[in-house]
Amino acid sequence: MQWANFLAKEAATHGLSLKQTAAFLKYFNTENTENLSKSEAKLARELNVDVAAFRKWMREVYGKFAQNYPELAISSSRGKLEKLQTYLSAKYNSESDVLKPLAAMKLLKSLVVRERLQQEAWVARRICKFLGYLPLALELVGRYLDKMPDLSLETLLIRLEKKRLEHELVVNANSLMAYEYGVAEAFELSWEQLDENAQSFGCLLSLCALADIPLSVETIEDNKKQQLNEKAIADLLELHLLQWQSKGIYHLNPLIRQFFQMKLDKSSEVDEAKTKFAAMMLEIAKLIPQQPNPEDILNLTPHIPHITEVATHLSEYLGDENLITLFTKLAWFYKGQGLYQQAETWLQQCVELTQNRLGLEHSYIAASLNNLAGLYESTGRYSKAEPLYQQALELRKRLLGDNHLDVATSLNNLALLYESTGRYKEAEPLLEQALELQKRLLGEEHSDVATSLSYLALLYESTGRYNEAEPLYQQALKLWKRLVGEEHPHVATSLNNLAALYCYTRRYSEAEPLLKQALKLRKRLLGEEHIDVATSLNNLAQLYESTGRYSEAEPLYKQALELSKHLLGDNHPDVAISLNNLAALYRYRGRYRKAKPLFEQALTICERTLGVSHPTTMTVRANYASFLREAYH
């Protein structure tokens, strides 16, 4: 296969537009680095566009490839270029290596009994030549011969030649398929050896992304279905149409994948298969929690390319509600790792797709707008979040009426945004409306009411109205205890909230037992290794610091930091907060050499993950600046 043909195939496979394809081919149209060393300005001139347009197209190209090659998503601009070049080169070599005639015969001999080849040595050499000395074609033919010990090589060659004649019509209709000679005929012979079950299974696998495929038949409850899948996998492995990589992980060669896709497209079951595959990936996506921990990330990562394949190419086979679920879960996967840009992309696509499918007047549009606004709020982009929250609220009121729980949710969301930006007068009536609405619709004894009580108490606390906040926090705590019992994470959260209020009012002797109770409760209910435990450790450490008990605060801050790193990775905003807290303690104790690198790490993480204008980033920056003035002036 020629490099240019390979690139054209890659562009088509990844769904690049004409403009994206032009930029992609211009950048990568040689196998060496000739074009990679050209300036973007020169390449843009060759395409008769400005540099900004060229860069935009390339960003879009990286985004398309990142769906099947996730490492691209977290690389720098230059890193993306180099990684994509390496990825393309490796893939091209794996698909296009042509063996020398002697090496081709050696490969065939490793797959077929030597005596059998010796009996028809001349024919064996003709078969190698016919197959273009391509390793994949030779592997397929070797496996085919191994299954048919009485088949003569002469008969095999006749069958291959017949398959080529049949394939000519398809090849002539698409010049990009010329490279498939040899592999196509070998695949057709193998295809005919598969029973209907294995053929259907192979076609289903072809809908997976160009990535390793996790397969676990043990999770299938239906014994008959489990056995059918096991047999299909075994049959595909035997004919070398599927490769085993490691326990539960398999690989489908890109060319084989394409052949299976061609078979599927020609079958009457194409829509059924795509609907089934989309449903399978949706069920896996539903396992993504809102705050995934490292274990969740590790377990789910092999599935992400295949979930994104559905989101990118098969979203039409998802129901309306499931469309939002799939895209939101993908956003959670990336947000949980601090990869906010990737999370934003999926939520933006969700808004666009739901609007295109359902129009502008639908409750699901409000839900998708609300989710995107939540991401903007969490990254400090309040000016982008506010109009989306407002749209969601107005849309819900218009579609659902003023007396609906979704309206209460939108009121709370918009109010919390106002509170985050210090617009307390605008936030308060919204929180009061939401609480009143929930009480009217759900009654006084409901979890949503307990949550809204805490929200309103937080507002009162933020405005220094501690006497009004305290009874609301106490009501929320009592309500949670009545609803879920004494032993529940929500009770621990309420204990923390009330303790924080006591800390603000310097009632440390009342706060300390509540913080210790919350920490003990979280450890017992959630285990020692949970992010809420890290939060409780931080809170208790802050109390010790506020009361001058520095020797007691330091080990707790360290524990919280190590736990956050272990659970969230080194580059998460929560880790930055822990670094900042420990650095501040060292500063107060005059241990400047220890404080400085921690402040620097905290600021770097915040700027990278949250942006330079996020309140947390600005707080850390202010703390660092104050430290520098104190330590070096």
Side-chain angles (χ1 to χ4, degrees), residues 3-18 20-22 24-25 61 64-65 67-68 88 91 174-177 179-180 210 257-258 261 309 312-313:
W3 175 252
N5 281 349
F6 168 76
L7 291 179
K9 178 187 79 86
E10 286 296 298
T13 300
H14 288 83
L16 302 189
S17 68
L18 291 176
Q20 293 163 357
T21 298
F24 172 66
L25 294 179
V61 168
K64 292 288 182 70
F65 276 90
Q67 291 160 9
N68 294 322
L88 291 171
K91 187 175 175 186
N174 188 340
S175 61
L176 294 182
M177 295 177 64
Y179 68 90
E180 294 171 1
L210 286 166
R257 174 179 180 263
Q258 185 174 336
Q261 284 181 345
E309 185 74 11
T312 307
H313 300 298

Side-chain angles (χ1 to χ4, degrees), residues 470-484:
E470 185 175 349
L472 296 188
Y473 275 140
Q474 290 172 336
Q475 285 180 51
L477 177 59
K478 290 177 182 177
L479 183 52
W480 278 123
K481 285 181 177 180
R482 285 200 301 274
L483 291 171
V484 297

